[in-house]
Amino acid sequence: MSATVPLVAIRCIAYNQEAYIRDTLDGFVKQKTTFPFVAIVHDDASTDNTASIIQEYAEKYPDIIKPIFETENQYSKPNNPLGEIMREAIKSTGAKYVAWCEGDDFWSYPEKLQKQVDFLNSHPDYSMCFHSSDVLNMNVDAIPQSCAKVENRDYSASEILTTWIIPTNSVVMRTEVLINRPWHKDFFVGDNVTWATCLSMGKIRGFSDLWSVYRRHSSGWTHKNLQNKNLKIISLEKWIKHYEAMKESFPKINPIIFDKMILSYRSALAIQSLISDKKNLFSIVSSSYYKYGFTFFKYLFKSGLSSTKRHLKNLISHQQGISG
């Protein structure tokens, strides 16, 4: 690391993203700030040219680009060593703030860091801020672009933890959040665990400005999960355990928020079991009723109605395609 302690450390993880990583790194080095910053760029043993491109930028911008090159893929290992590697690397910089951007996204505004850091510097009661992001769909179906409609206001725990509204590439937070982020064996998605940690340590502000681009493509995590529609039983069970672990790990956050998500996934699991695995249906329904009473059946009814509407919509579309 450079002798000067950076005010911001950028957290960037890349894997097989040679087609996108130049845009990402250009977005970093083009930032105009009154303070020093570094980018911890972690290549997770890519099998394409991603690592060589990162190395090229590290040699050209040695005060900014700080690479980590793996010889074995860390993401695929148990207990999330990748998260710990990044946490320790960021902590070692001494940076007060952490900015997020993965290796397939990029920043489109050169004063993004300055604007967000200025806000956090002048508002010590806020743990994090984020902003709108353009969504670039690359040969995949469009998704609801809620992250492009962020408003200039504070956001509640319910909004942040039950909807996809925070583009990861827009986040700047205090480093102490990352250091104090809890661990649980059942955490399934790391982002909203981090957002929940922020909510436990301060307020979160959104900005409507479009300062970044979220790139959605066929190999991305979001697309893969939407393709599966989270209807496979193993995935639904992981989501249920995830929100149960969240409820246990964040006692400062209203538990009703987590209960709503648990009930939604439990009802979806019951519907999926009815369709494909009836032998588990009774245990799912009985255990859910034991924990949540008739509230579970309300969610089950809504889930069934929603599934029926989707089925009819797909059937009509299919019939129209045949008649056409």
Side-chain angles (χ1 to χ4, degrees):
M1 297 296 174
S2 61
T4 303
V5 176
L7 186 63
V8 178
I10 302 166
R11 180 188 185 278
C12 179
I13 296 173
Y15 176 72
N16 284 357
Q17 291 164 338
E18 63 177 354
Y20 314 125
I21 192 66
R22 288 187 184 275
D23 288 341
T24 306
L25 299 177
D26 282 338
F28 298 161
V29 300
K30 290 179 180 179
Q31 288 297 301
K32 299 177 180 178
T33 66
T34 59
F35 51 81
F37 65 92
V38 295
I40 309 298
V41 185
H42 180 284
D43 178 76
D44 201 16
S46 294
T47 58
D48 62 5
N49 293 318
T50 301
S52 61
I53 296 171
I54 294 171
Q55 182 61 40
E56 173 193 330
Y57 275 75
E59 293 174 359
K60 189 174 181 180
Y61 304 97
D63 292 336
I64 297 177
I65 306 300
K66 309 295 181 180
I68 299 175
F69 298 110
E70 299 288 356
T71 56
E72 294 180 345
N73 185 269
Q74 301 299 305
Y75 179 79
S76 59
K77 293 182 178 181
N79 298 324
N80 191 24
L82 180 54
E84 186 60 27
I85 289 168
M86 294 303 288
R87 175 156 52 182
E88 288 303 311
I90 290 167
K91 185 179 177 181
S92 70
T93 67
K96 185 177 181 179
Y97 302 111
V98 181
W100 291 54
C101 188
E102 305 296 6
D104 51 355
D105 302 329
F106 62 96
W107 296 344
S108 53
Y109 181 56
E111 295 182 28
K112 165 201 154 60
L113 277 184
Q114 186 71 56
K115 297 283 188 182
Q116 291 183 268
V117 169
D118 284 347
F119 175 83
L120 290 174
N121 275 339
S122 59
H123 295 81
D125 52 334
Y126 285 78
S127 57
M128 174 182 132
C129 60
F130 67 101
H131 55 77
S132 294
S133 179
D134 280 319
V135 176
L136 184 60
N137 287 303
M138 309 199 56
N139 301 318
V140 294
D141 294 334
I143 56 174
Q145 299 184 12
S146 59
C147 62
K149 298 178 181 178
V150 178
E151 298 174 349
N152 290 312
R153 61 177 176 86
D154 292 355
Y155 277 80
S156 68
S158 178
E159 291 173 300
I160 289 171
L161 298 177
T162 63
T163 59
W164 183 59
I165 200 166
I166 297 180
T168 306
N169 62 20
S170 76
V171 168
V172 177
M173 64 174 58
R174 299 185 188 277
T175 303
E176 61 187 293
V177 171
L178 203 61
I179 294 172
N180 290 301
R181 180 185 181 275
W183 180 88
H184 194 289
K185 64 181 179 61
D186 290 327
F187 284 156
F188 183 41
V189 177
D191 288 358
N192 67 357
V193 176
T194 304
W195 312 158
T197 308
C198 286
L199 288 161
S200 297
M201 299 178 68
K203 295 188 287 186
I204 294 179
R205 171 60 64 92
F207 302 118
S208 63
D209 307 84
L210 288 165
W211 291 338
S212 64
V213 176
Y214 173 83
R215 203 189 306 261
R216 185 170 174 267
H217 50 89
S218 58
S219 59
W221 190 93
T222 302
H223 176 70
K224 288 178 180 178
N225 279 271
L226 285 172
Q227 285 294 97
N228 292 332
K229 299 184 186 299
N230 286 332
L231 290 179
K232 290 184 178 179
I233 286 176
I234 188 170
S235 178
L236 289 165
E237 289 175 340
K238 284 183 177 180
W239 279 110
I240 293 167
K241 289 181 179 178
H242 171 78
Y243 280 106
E244 287 176 342
M246 291 272 284
K247 182 179 178 180
E248 175 187 331
S249 302
F250 296 101
K252 291 183 179 180
I253 296 176
N254 189 339
I256 293 175
I257 294 171
F258 300 122
D259 286 339
K260 286 180 178 179
M261 299 305 295
I262 294 167
L263 282 162
S264 294
Y265 281 110
R266 277 182 173 271
S267 58
L269 180 61
I271 295 295
Q272 179 64 15
S273 296
L274 179 63
I275 295 170
S276 61
D277 190 17
K278 294 182 178 63
K279 64 182 180 180
N280 289 324
L281 181 60
F282 177 77
S283 63
I284 293 167
V285 172
S286 59
S287 64
S288 298
Y289 173 71
Y290 177 78
K291 283 188 175 183
Y292 296 99
F294 284 104
T295 303
F296 166 70
F297 289 104
K298 292 180 182 178
Y299 276 81
L300 183 62
F301 175 77
K302 287 195 295 184
S303 180
L305 187 61
S306 177
S307 298
T308 302
K309 287 180 178 178
R310 278 199 307 272
H311 174 71
L312 290 174
K313 183 178 179 181
N314 292 336
L315 181 62
I316 291 170
S317 298
H318 177 66
Q319 290 174 336
Q320 287 175 341
I322 294 175
S323 62

